[in-house]
Amino acid sequence: MTNNWTSEKIHDQTGKNILITGANSGLGFETSLALSKKGANVIMAVRNLEKGKEAIAKIKAINPAAKLDLMQLDLSDLDSIKRFSEAYHAKYKTLHVLMNNAGVMAIPKKETTRQGFEMQFGTNHLGHFALTAHLLDLIKSTPNAIVVTQSSGLHKRIDAIQFEDINWDKSYDKWKAYAQSKLANLLFTYELDRQFKAHKINAIATAAHPGFAETNLQRSSGFLVKYLANKLMAQSAEMGSLPILRAATDTGLKGAEYFGPTKMGEMRGYPDLVKSNEASYDSDAAKRLWDISEKLTGVKFNF
Ligand SMILES: NC(=O)c1ccc[n+]([C@@H]2O[C@H](COP(=O)([O-])OP(=O)(O)OC[C@H]3O[C@@H](n4cnc5c(N)ncnc54)[C@H](OP(=O)(O)O)[C@@H]3O)[C@@H](O)[C@H]2O)c1
């Protein structure tokens, strides 16, 4: 008998609607598989429906009874996020868990989203910010709803959001831009949880990071990370999915928890509570980021 937290510890999820972004690949795929095994209805939000269908076939081959629903969502396009939300509302009246998981990393040359935001900030943070706002009515009306967002240990590479050039217009550093988007994920999570509590909403926000897991994420990272580091240091995508699974299903969650692996400088191992950097707990910065995010996306949170 071990105390390690594994997906075996997830209690029955039957009757829950769990929405996962980036569900076709890597951590999102493993998370979809694990939660479908526990009986949840998993709404797999993907930008590429063909890849989504392949992922569904793989899960069904392992678990034929899986309840899976495939929906199209491109987080780098605010119009797609709005259309997705309308389609979700037309189908579902509840949202028990929203897993803001999808992401892009270290894009070599600056790219922009459909509305012109730097791709990592735009997809990883602004896209999920807008998605959560669009779905807030269902989060509010579903008892004990959880919004869990996938950050990264790499958020520690920066110690503040660079508000004076948030879109990397003056200069672009692919790793700092990624780190900023992942710090933004944490500032968003902690502020969302504060807002839920301030408005007496029966929902919480939590966060997780997977350590270093072998997925498709490193496709832009060059030979060293993609092949060498992946093979030598990375843990499996299944292990990397455990922190977000724990942050979404653990018993006794109160909100604002942050889970990650606990071995090898948080790169590997079973998940437990870990600490994010000081900047992530700066509530003034969180409010400032929130206001900017509402302005940039044109989406408001009606708590
Ligand atoms: N793997 C790690 O070591 C690691 C470490 C720290 C944090 N993370 C975080 O974990 C999350 C999942 O990444 P992963 O490692 O599982 O990588 P992955 O295998 O590349 O999966 C990323 C997922 O995000 C989707 N995605 C990317 N851009 C999107 C967009 N504009 N709209 C909708 N979906 C989009 C991808 O879709 P496509 O398949 O169509 O590209 C894919 O499904 C990310 O937020 C990442 O930052 C991962």
Side-chain angles (χ1 to χ4, degrees):
M1 187 66 182
T2 161
N3 280 329
N4 291 334
W5 196 94
T6 67
S7 57
E8 289 308 307
K9 299 222 163 134
I10 301 172
H11 53 88
D12 184 29
Q13 301 289 306
T14 306
K16 286 192 183 176
N17 288 322
I18 301 186
L19 166 55
I20 306 177
T21 66
N24 61 287
S25 173
L27 309 173
F29 173 84
E30 293 296 337
T31 305
S32 303
L33 174 62
L35 292 169
S36 74
K37 283 182 181 168
K38 295 290 177 177
N41 179 51
V42 179
I43 299 102
M44 299 174 70
V46 304
R47 63 174 160 177
N48 180 321
L49 286 175
E50 284 314 308
K51 286 190 192 174
K53 283 181 197 156
E54 284 168 28
I56 286 195
K58 276 193 213 157
I59 295 178
K60 289 269 189 190
I62 302 166
N63 175 21
K67 293 191 276 291
L68 305 167
D69 185 9
L70 188 62
M71 293 183 71
Q72 212 270 336
L73 168 69
D74 183 349
L75 287 158
S76 68
D77 178 1
L78 294 172
D79 298 332
S80 168
I81 296 169
K82 188 161 180 279
R83 279 196 301 275
F84 172 88
S85 162
E86 285 162 2
Y88 188 93
H89 277 89
K91 271 189 180 176
Y92 295 106
K93 299 288 163 256
T94 57
L95 176 53
H96 298 85
V97 181
L98 167 58
M99 296 183 111
N100 290 324
N101 163 76
V104 283
M105 179 176 85
I107 296 173
K109 287 212 171 70
K110 185 182 164 185
E111 292 178 22
T112 51
T113 65
R114 182 124 192 270
Q115 282 77 23
F117 310 124
E118 186 279 320
M119 188 60 82
Q120 294 163 94
F121 184 63
T123 304
N124 303 356
H125 168 63
L126 290 177
H128 285 124
F129 181 89
L131 178 68
T132 309
H134 277 301
L135 296 170
L136 187 66
D137 59 331
L138 296 179
I139 294 164
K140 279 164 61 176
S141 62
T142 307
N144 305 312
I146 302 185
V147 179
V148 51
T149 300
Q150 187 79 274
S151 181
S152 164
L154 290 178
H155 79 273
K156 292 180 178 165
R157 281 213 180 179
I158 53 165
D159 54 17
I161 300 284
Q162 52 159 33
F163 286 107
E164 69 292 348
D165 187 21
I166 206 159
N167 253 317
W168 305 90
D169 295 321
K170 292 185 191 138
S171 70
Y172 177 70
D173 177 313
K174 63 181 183 179
W175 286 111
K176 282 191 183 158
Y178 178 68
Q180 169 163 285
S181 75
K182 292 288 143 181
L183 175 59
N185 285 153
L186 289 166
L187 286 162
F188 166 65
T189 297
Y190 300 150
E191 182 60 25
L192 182 62
D193 195 65
R194 284 190 286 269
Q195 292 297 328
F196 283 152
K197 289 179 170 53
H199 291 88
K200 303 206 177 338
I201 294 167
N202 186 7
I204 58 167
T206 63
H209 83 88
F212 184 7
E214 188 176 2
T215 66
N216 286 326
L217 191 72
Q218 295 89 6
R219 80 193 107 196
S220 311
S221 307
F223 179 81
L224 262 184
V225 176
K226 205 154 85 186
Y227 298 105
L228 219 58
N230 251 356
K231 292 293 163 226
L232 293 177
M233 277 150 35
Q235 58 180 356
S236 67
E238 187 183 354
M239 279 297 289
S241 70
L242 293 180
I244 197 168
L245 282 166
R246 187 164 185 180
T249 64
D250 209 6
T251 43
L253 291 170
K254 292 185 169 52
E257 286 90 350
Y258 177 49
F259 288 96
T262 48
K263 293 277 184 298
M264 270 183 68
E266 293 182 23
M267 283 204 291
R268 299 174 69 102
Y270 292 94
D272 212 334
L273 285 172
V274 292
K275 268 192 93 84
S276 53
N277 69 1
E278 220 183 299
S280 68
Y281 296 106
D282 180 341
S283 57
D284 290 337
K287 284 198 188 71
R288 196 172 166 194
L289 176 66
W290 196 281
D291 289 346
I292 290 173
S293 303
E294 284 195 334
K295 277 197 194 94
L296 292 175
T297 59
V299 178
K300 280 227 167 290
F301 276 73
N302 295 314
F303 284 108

